[in-house]
Amino acid sequence: MQKHCYSKYKILSIVIGLLFFGQVTLAQTDIDGIMMQKNFFCIGPTVDKTSWKNYWEGTFKRDNANLGTVSSTAAMIMGNYGITNKLNVLFGLPYIKSKASAGNLKGQKGLQDLSLWVKWVAKEKKIGKGNLKGILEGGYSTPVSNYYIDLMPLAIGMHSKTGSIRLMADYEMGDWFATVSGTYMMRSNVTLDRYTYYTTELHYTNEVEMPDANDFNFRIGYRSSTWIAEAIVDKFTTLGGFDITKNNMPFVSNKMNATKLGLHVKYDTDFVNGLSFVADANTTVAGRNIGQSSSFGGGVFYILDFSKKKKEEKKK
Amino acid sequence: MKKIFLFISLVTVTAIAVFNSCSKKLDEANLAYPLLNPSKADGNAGTWKPILLASASEFPCPAPIATTSPDYILQLNEIKSFQNNITSENKDLVNYWGAGAVLRWNEIMRELVAKHNVPPYQNPDGTYPFPNANNPLAYPLFPFSNPPYAARAYAYLSAAQYDACVAAYYYKSLYNRAAPFTVDATIQTLLPKSTLPSYPSEDAVVEGASIELLKLLFPGDQDYINQRAEEHKRARLIAGANVRSDLDAGETLGRAIAAKFIARARGDRAGAAIGTQAQWTQFETDATAKGETPWYSQESPKRPPMLPLFGKVKTWLFDSLTMVTTIRPPAPPSTGSAQFKTETAEIYQMQKDLTREQKAIATFWSDGVGTYTPPGHWNYIAATEFVQQNFSEARWARNMALLNMSIMDAGIVCWDAKYFYFNPRPMQIDTRIKTDLGLPNFPAYISGHSTFSGAASTVLGYIIPTKAQQFIDMAKEASVSRMYGAIHFRSDCEVGLTTGNKVGSYAISRGHTDGAE
């Protein structure tokens, strides 16, 4: 079990923060049914590149010669520690850099949000020939730098604190599996560097009300002790917010929705025990107030063993 | 079981942390304004000098019916019926409008400006459509309330409100009709009791003048404007501050006075400010002939320059000859000069080394697409100060008129200079320069923000002398913010500020002679 360090965790804050980029790296999330074994710690870096040329202004799809292709690169460190076989703690922290290939808007960069997750296998049951797990998760993310949010779509995030609750079911039969999950994200209000702004009315405050969001995720594929290969569908919906009006600037509290299809592959090496490689790709098939992005990424993970057994072995 | 407790406690702590940090209700500054309660009633405002009216009595206002007449009693009973069924929404409405009529209608215009401050999307062939006042709801929506459009809108609204107040106060003194709460002691008053005669209502005269100007300037939003007007009048009745005939007379008078301002607006040459392709090309030819690098649109597809003939629009505070001979700034550093090179290098370095705090300043003053524009920002600054000054409605109107006439004239002077010199933006010269803001689509010299701010800060310093230095500092910050945004050279900003100061001084001269001091 511990061999799949796997990025169970790829920050949800990216899902939330960079939706305009479509930086939802579906295949590398905390959204899987795999657990780290007790006292094992999996950690590693990942790099993702996301880009889009077309975007949806409300429901109107367009390009923009004043932006060209908007891209962002995220370098992230993440980890997963097994408190017990059924209770894991995960974290992630990305550094993000954005850029527009045309026009005169300045690319933004900085450390984004630190995310923490607690993941608990609440129920495990044999059903038919397979094994069903019911998993409950709680997540929290908070910005770690004073990054700039008033330049969507180049802003690296939304600077909102989020609290998330997720319910997940994972069914495994031999080397085949399917996982389905639903997540509710509560998002705190954010503040701007100005004291008025217009949404669908003029507001006289620097505080912006952030709509909550939910996410539905389904993944299916092959999972053996050395390989994981899965296909993913993800639907992110903002519960509230407003549309970008024609040719207007995007805004942090827009109604950003996205449906994405993705692939994820992971390989556990046999030449170094605990070393694994991951690769991801996804594309946006439908959206609202976001870029029609494609994303590619990869990472390396290593599992550290902090179990007593190992320590005792060392003492000997 | 331990694990379960651990997990549940972690989830609970997280949830509490999040819920505590995200009480979602917003505290909006404009909903916390105090009620208008003038320290000085300005009962003589009927003698102040109007802007367009030949005299305070140019438009008639018929004598009111007697407060003993059956019709008047009927009107008192209308108030009583409102007050009999008063709800908390009614009270909110009364308090909202009780902060002041000039204030609230100015705010409504700021909102409409922000709503309409969006440049049109291009046609399939790469040209751009222009909004059409006769078909305001077809795309592109009319208007595109960019800064010059907005400056003019605020000025007409404020000037009309002021003349309307002068006329209303004149008739108040003439007819001297008592307020309903004075006539009938059983009428409650939900607002501070005004010592002024109540006919015609100063609130309704402001409302009447405002709705006509707003409908002219934002013809696609008439339904919204009418709805706000209804609310305003209802608030006055519920408050027991006016009877129906006070309101009707005020509204009628305000609308009649507005017509005079609308006639001026139709003839002030703003309608032709977009210009023609031949004129756009001519600016370029003229600049090139002088040996200068002309401005080019940095947008893709190239967008025609914003309102290039706005510099020809009729001014309020001086004539066009004075503008050209006395106020128009000298030429900027030649695009071939060493100083121009130095100023370009300065902006390149500045945007490269920009601190987070400078970025915040650039954003605070940016007032770009989707905002109430820099003129709107100065209206908000003025409103925030005026609510603390206990001005009368007439003084609010007079001060806002001085402010906004100076802001519009500053816009005209600025646009005249921009198209007279047709000077490029920093990123046209050095394409490595990038901005955190939007790049305005018109020439650089002189900075609009600086000119608007120079004028506005000068006028506000005259109105509230104890805060003059604070306004100067704000204007300086607004001006330099455009360098932080990498969209202006130092010369654009510095000369813009001093030019704006000059424009502001003309408003002060008017203030000295309008009878309100």
Side-chain angles (χ1 to χ4, degrees):
Chain A
M1 187 190 263
Q2 83 279 8
K3 278 200 81 181
H4 281 306
C5 148
Y6 181 47
S7 45
K8 347 201 126 206
Y9 177 61
K10 165 130 190 183
I11 56 173
L12 190 64
S13 70
I14 281 206
V15 179
I16 296 161
L18 274 188
L19 207 63
F20 204 95
F21 287 109
Q23 182 118 9
V24 189
T25 311
L26 293 169
Q28 281 192 315
T29 62
D30 36 324
I31 309 194
D32 66 50
I34 308 167
M35 300 299 289
M36 183 83 332
Q37 204 172 46
K38 183 175 180 180
N39 293 334
F40 281 61
F41 181 50
C42 171
I43 187 161
T46 64
V47 176
D48 286 276
K49 169 117 181 173
T50 298
S51 60
W52 52 264
K53 187 167 176 288
N54 295 320
Y55 62 102
W56 287 276
E57 215 168 57
T59 53
F60 173 62
K61 192 172 165 185
R62 62 170 291 187
D63 63 359
N64 191 333
N66 297 300
L67 291 170
T69 298
V70 175
S71 60
S72 67
T73 305
M76 178 159 48
I77 179 83
M78 46 198 193
N80 181 3
Y81 180 72
I83 295 172
T84 73
N85 289 350
K86 291 191 171 186
L87 186 66
N88 284 189
V89 179
L90 307 90
F91 79 91
L93 179 64
Y95 177 87
I96 298 172
K97 201 170 170 179
S98 69
K99 191 181 146 196
S101 72
N104 40 44
L105 291 183
K106 200 194 265 181
Q108 308 288 311
K109 60 190 173 188
L111 274 177
Q112 199 215 30
D113 305 336
L114 173 69
S115 301
L116 297 168
W117 282 90
V118 178
K119 186 173 178 184
W120 177 51
V121 180
K123 196 103 185 163
E124 210 162 353
K125 200 177 173 185
K126 276 232 174 290
I127 293 185
K129 291 178 186 169
N131 193 36
L132 180 71
K133 270 187 280 190
I135 296 172
L136 188 61
E137 288 183 70
Y140 180 73
S141 82
T142 185
V144 293
S145 76
N146 186 19
Y147 61 82
Y148 185 60
I149 58 171
D150 216 350
L151 189 64
M152 298 285 161
L154 290 166
I156 62 164
M158 296 181 166
H159 220 264
S160 178
K161 291 174 189 146
T162 66
S164 306
I165 292 195
R166 173 179 300 143
L167 292 171
M168 188 191 301
D170 180 80
Y171 186 72
E172 204 172 27
M173 196 166 67
D175 286 340
W176 298 92
F177 76 96
T179 311
V180 60
S181 66
T183 309
Y184 188 88
M185 282 154 269
M186 293 156 281
R187 307 199 282 192
S188 72
N189 291 353
V190 298
T191 51
L192 302 177
D193 294 320
R194 50 189 169 126
Y195 55 17
T196 64
Y197 61 90
Y198 188 84
T199 54
T200 52
E201 57 184 346
L202 190 56
H203 294 279
Y204 287 90
T205 169
N206 62 356
E207 193 178 337
V208 180
E209 187 180 331
M210 288 296 287
D212 289 349
N214 68 28
D215 187 71
F216 171 81
N217 187 284
F218 178 72
R219 42 216 300 137
I220 187 162
Y222 175 83
R223 190 153 74 192
S224 74
S225 59
T226 43
W227 284 96
I228 294 176
E230 56 185 327
I232 302 148
V233 183
D234 187 275
K235 192 169 189 303
F236 181 95
T237 308
T238 301
L239 307 169
F242 66 102
D243 282 335
I244 310 169
T245 55
K246 200 162 182 176
N247 218 36
N248 209 334
M249 294 291 283
F251 191 70
V252 66
S253 66
N254 283 142
K255 183 174 188 61
M256 300 180 193
N257 296 343
T259 304
K260 293 174 184 241
L261 301 179
L263 291 170
H264 170 75
V265 176
K266 174 172 177 285
Y267 172 63
D268 273 288
T269 63
D270 34 20
F271 49 92
V272 179
N273 191 28
L275 181 70
S276 61
F277 296 96
V278 296
D280 303 273
N282 73 65
T283 188
T284 308
V285 292
R288 187 163 176 162
N289 303 305
I290 63 150
Q292 188 184 15
S293 63
S294 290
S295 179
F296 303 93
V300 183
F301 288 95
Y302 187 71
I303 300 179
L304 300 162
D305 182 353
F306 294 105
S307 64
K308 277 182 192 161
K309 201 171 124 195
K310 187 133 189 197
K311 282 176 196 160
E312 280 161 12
E313 275 168 15
K314 273 183 185 169
K315 278 178 194 167
K316 284 173 192 172
Chain B
M1 271 320 267
K2 258 188 178 174
K3 292 164 209 163
I4 296 173
F5 283 129
L6 177 64
F7 181 78
I8 290 171
S9 53
L10 273 169
V11 169
T12 312
V13 166
T14 307
I16 289 170
V18 170
F19 279 121
N20 281 348
S21 66
C22 70
S23 151
K24 295 213 168 188
K25 196 178 172 297
L26 303 176
D27 283 328
E28 308 234 14
N30 67 322
L31 300 181
Y33 291 150
L35 296 174
L36 188 80
N37 191 8
S39 54
K40 198 171 148 220
D42 289 323
N44 69 339
T47 64
W48 295 354
K49 189 170 97 186
I51 294 162
L52 282 192
L53 296 188
S55 74
S57 58
E58 180 181 336
F59 291 93
C61 176
I65 55 172
T67 54
T68 49
S69 68
D71 275 350
Y72 189 87
I73 309 287
L74 210 55
Q75 291 178 22
L76 288 178
N77 284 326
E78 184 185 13
I79 295 176
K80 288 176 188 170
S81 71
F82 273 118
Q83 295 191 338
N84 199 30
N85 300 307
I86 201 154
T87 64
S88 68
E89 285 87 41
N90 290 158
K91 284 179 185 164
D92 288 347
L93 197 65
V94 166
N95 289 333
Y96 171 85
W97 286 100
V102 169
L103 165 69
R104 293 306 184 194
W105 284 102
N106 181 273
E107 236 173 57
I108 289 167
M109 179 164 276
R110 275 180 252 150
E111 176 156 45
L112 290 172
V113 166
K115 176 183 175 185
H116 287 278
N117 184 11
V118 184
Y121 182 61
Q122 69 261 24
N123 294 317
D125 65 356
T127 61
Y128 288 91
F130 290 100
N132 178 359
N134 295 322
N135 196 5
L137 294 170
Y139 194 83
L141 302 181
F142 182 89
F144 166 24
S145 50
N146 49 43
Y149 189 93
R152 176 170 168 269
Y154 293 119
Y156 274 96
L157 178 75
S158 295
Q161 286 174 342
Y162 169 70
D163 274 13
C165 278
V166 171
Y169 278 57
Y170 168 82
Y171 288 114
K172 278 175 186 291
S173 300
L174 184 68
Y175 297 128
N176 203 26
R177 181 200 256 185
F181 51 82
T182 311
V183 178
D184 181 342
T186 66
I187 299 262
Q188 300 174 50
T189 46
L190 304 181
L191 293 172
K193 288 186 185 181
S194 170
T195 55
L196 292 173
S198 73
Y199 179 98
S201 156
E202 67 269 37
D203 275 71
V205 84
V206 169
E207 173 264 317
S210 301
I211 57 171
E212 292 305 311
L213 265 306
L214 282 162
K215 286 176 188 174
L216 173 78
L217 295 157
F218 299 93
D221 296 80
Q222 299 194 40
D223 187 36
Y224 173 71
I225 295 161
N226 287 334
Q227 178 204 322
R228 301 306 301 270
E230 272 317 306
E231 250 179 40
H232 185 183
K233 289 183 285 185
R234 190 149 39 89
R236 296 297 293 175
L237 293 172
I238 298 168
N242 290 107
V243 291
R244 181 70 69 179
S245 54
D246 297 338
L247 297 176
D248 288 346
E251 187 181 56
T252 305
L253 181 62
R255 294 175 72 169
I257 291 166
K260 189 153 187 177
F261 284 82
I262 290 169
R264 184 192 190 273
R266 291 210 166 107
D268 73 359
R269 295 183 289 273
I274 288 171
T276 60
Q277 179 64 56
Q279 287 167 318
W280 306 335
T281 310
Q282 192 62 45
F283 293 120
E284 212 176 294
T285 315
D286 291 349
T288 310
K290 284 189 245 173
E292 298 295 324
T293 303
W295 172 85
Y296 289 111
S297 171
Q298 299 297 297
E299 283 192 46
S300 181
K302 282 193 187 309
R303 190 186 285 273
M306 184 185 287
L307 300 182
L309 302 185
F310 191 78
K312 310 279 183 218
V313 170
K314 195 173 172 190
T315 44
W316 296 97
L317 300 166
F318 39 77
D319 56 32
S320 55
L321 184 66
T322 308
M323 179 174 90
V324 171
T325 56
T326 318
I327 308 175
R328 180 188 283 167
S334 165
T335 50
S337 69
Q339 192 192 337
F340 187 75
K341 273 205 184 76
T342 311
E343 290 200 23
T344 308
E346 182 184 17
I347 298 305
Y348 172 71
Q349 204 55 41
M350 211 175 231
Q351 56 94 41
K352 214 175 150 210
D353 303 339
L354 200 70
T355 64
R356 183 64 184 81
E357 195 193 348
Q358 288 171 327
K359 207 173 195 167
I361 290 170
T363 305
F364 180 80
W365 292 105
S366 172
D367 301 321
V369 168
T371 71
Y372 50 23
T373 75
H377 196 157
W378 280 101
N379 273 267
Y380 180 40
I381 291 168
T384 307
E385 295 297 333
F386 292 178
V387 292
Q388 301 165 34
Q389 300 292 322
N390 301 318
F391 289 146
S392 67
E393 206 63 78
R395 194 163 292 274
W396 259 93
R398 179 255 190 183
N399 290 340
M400 280 300 200
L402 290 179
L403 175 72
N404 282 317
M405 287 193 293
S406 83
I407 287 177
M408 175 169 163
D409 283 5
I412 294 167
V413 166
C414 177
W415 253 246
D416 167 72
K418 281 181 185 292
Y419 290 91
F420 187 73
Y421 297 115
F422 215 61
N423 213 36
R425 295 272 177 174
M427 50 258 295
Q428 182 185 328
I429 304 303
D430 183 344
T431 52
R432 295 173 305 165
I433 295 175
K434 301 281 178 188
T435 177
D436 293 300
L437 316 174
L439 176 66
N441 191 53
F442 41 83
Y445 184 86
I446 49 184
S447 148
H449 280 59
S450 306
T451 318
F452 289 131
S453 301
S457 59
T458 301
V459 175
L460 289 180
Y462 157 71
I463 295 167
I464 311 173
T466 53
K467 293 204 165 168
Q469 189 55 46
Q470 188 183 312
F471 297 130
I472 290 169
D473 294 342
M474 289 169 107
K476 279 184 182 162
E477 192 181 83
S479 176
V480 78
S481 79
R482 306 310 273 172
M483 294 173 70
Y484 296 158
I487 57 181
H488 272 294
F489 299 107
R490 184 173 290 280
S491 292
D492 305 342
C493 297
E494 291 181 350
V495 179
L497 206 50
T498 52
T499 306
N501 293 153
K502 273 187 209 166
V503 173
S505 67
Y506 284 88
I508 295 176
S509 301
R510 187 192 146 85
H512 288 322
T513 58
D514 66 6
E517 281 186 352

